[in-house]
Every structure is written in structure tokens, then in C-alpha cells.
Amino acid sequence: MAKRPVTIPDAELDVLKVLWQKGQGTVRELLGALHESGRTWSYATVATLLERLSNKGMVASDRSELAFVYRPVISKQEVRQKRVQSLVDKLYKGEPGLLVMHLLKSHPLPPDQAVEVKTLIEQMSNAPPKGGAKKKK
Amino acid sequence: MAKRPVTIPDAELDVLKVLWQKGQGTVRELLGALHESGRTWSYATVATLLERLSNKGMVASDRSELAFVYRPVISKQEVRQKRVQSLVDKLYKGEPGLLVMHLLKSHPLPPDQAVEVKTLIEQMSNAPPKGGAKKKK
DNA sequence: ATAATGCTAAGACAAGTGTCTCTCAGAGTC
DNA sequence: GACTCTGAGAGACACTTGTCTTAGCATTAT
């Protein structure tokens, strides 16, 4: 059996988020930040989550200080990328365009973002994408 | 402790997908369809997944025939909606616009979809979103 | 009626998740 | 040195997910 792919469950993601936001931190520091954002975990819980993230290679730790200082190894971008990819694959037949459409239809954008999107699209039509290279149609 | 929210894990989602596609089916029928799409599950596995989906209220079963006939209760749209919402909440600060941007930047759209999106956006700017009303600062 | 089949029910079981309690080693304090 | 505070480590424990084995009931073919 194919070993299950590495995943980042929700609880771990919450820890990662404060790590991204703070850059790094000890268990206690992160615990504090998490409490502020509503999480009521105990010290041990946060430590366990960091431990697991560490085993998965998503965070690194350094013990030059008294306590371990954790630092994210994976970026928010990467996690987003993976999650989006998986969502598109699983529910949008691998076609990101369908997701975009769905998003635009069900969640109207604030005007400024609408403009931004429009601009992006226009640029895109000028410089066509396509798999291989710069293009040479 | 707050009871965990109802989720649809990947394996169950695969079953749901064939249900959406076929409209309904018995365990054996669904098993067949799943095999065709590459899943090598045993009969019992599919039965278990349907059972779990049933407990969660995602599918309904009817036993007028010899075997239970399962039918989806939740629609693909609803599942998509929930997954997207959760993704946006967890990784895009609740702003779908950010996701749209990300998608457009990292996954170039085929031209026809690009046009479609553009049209949508344009319509949107003309007919501003309902409820909220577009305010003039 | 019997045997052969198909179906569901029940449960097993390992790995993954969400959370925590306990214990112990160091550092700082009196 | 004895006491206390902090933090790391180990492990616990219940529930979820992915998959399956078995036993037993209903249906059908012989």
C-alpha cells in the first residue's frame, strides 16, 4: 500500500500560522499567541503539534537558548499551493478555471479586487500561457 | 469539548463522486464504477464508506430492491462550497479574492475560460453586488 | 429442501488527529 | 544544598480514517 502522503491537519496548521506570522518562537511564546487568537490549548498540546510538524519536516528547531526555538520550514505559499491543488484535483476535475468561476459567482469581490483580477486576465490574454516555453505560436 | 464538525474524508468523497455521477447505485454498482476509475477497494470497504456517509446524513438508502440503493443527499455544489469556504477561511483570511488572485497567477487559464472570467467580472462591476450596496467613499 | 450466492451487520486493526497528564532534568533562588 | 519554576519527553486516550475479514440472513438456482 502506498504510504499516505504527508498532510497538515488543522490543528497543526494553526500552529504553523502563528509561526509564519511571528517568524519563530518557543512553545510558550506560540502558546501565548494561540491563546490570543482563541485557541485554549495547553502547553503540552502545542508542544506535541510542534513535535509532529517537526517530524514531518515542516518546522525546524534550534536549542541554543534555554528552550527550543521553532521556525517554519515550509512557507505559507507552499501550503496554499498544495491545498489548492488538492482541492482543484478532487472537486474541480483538475481545472482551476472552474474554481475561479465558482468563486466569482458565489463570492462577489470587492471592487478593488475585481479591478485587479481584470487586469491580470488582460495581461494573460496578451501573453498566452501554455505548457512549454515562452510561446512561439 | 466542542464536537468535531462533520467532515467528508477523501475516501468517502470518492464514493460520493460516483454517486453524483450515476445518480444512485448499490454497493456493487458503485464498486464497479470505482474500480473503473482506478480504486481497488473491496466490496466491504465501499459498504463501510457508504455506511459512514449514511450516518453523517450525506447519502440516503432505500431497500425496496434486494440490495440497498444509495443516493446522495448532499450535492456536489454543497461540498464544493464547504471545502472552498474552509480553504478560504483557513488560508486566505476569509477573502476569496486572494484565492482568485492566487489561482490566476499560479495556474494560467485556457483562453476560453479566461474570456468567460473576464465577462463575469465585467458584468459584476456593472451590476454591483446585492445586499451590501457599493458605497462611494 | 439444499446448496450456492449475494448482501448486510459487526467488528477488527493500524495509523492519524486532537488533547492532555506525569515525570524528570536544568536553571535560578534563598 | 533544598526548593521552585520551566521546559522537554514519554505516553495516554478517545475518536477518525482507510481497509478488510467473518459470520449470518435473504434470494435464487438445482
Side-chain angles (χ1 to χ4, degrees), chain B residues 14-78:
Chain B
D14 279 356
V15 174
L16 254 186
K17 286 205 277 191
V18 305
L19 266 182
W20 286 327
Q21 187 219 305
K22 302 178 76 72
Q24 57 164 50
T26 62
V27 174
R28 195 155 298 281
E29 288 163 357
L30 299 174
L31 176 62
L34 285 162
H35 275 171
E36 275 166 30
S37 43
R39 287 323 216 124
T40 59
W41 286 328
S42 77
Y43 182 100
T45 300
V46 177
T48 298
L49 292 173
L50 280 166
E51 158 86 11
R52 289 178 183 168
L53 280 168
S54 194
N55 292 336
K56 293 177 186 172
M58 313 309 255
V59 308
S61 52
D62 161 31
R63 196 179 203 172
S64 27
E65 303 298 312
L66 310 188
F68 274 118
V69 172
Y70 292 88
R71 170 172 46 75
V73 164
I74 192 171
S75 73
K76 187 165 188 171
Q77 271 53 42
E78 289 170 276

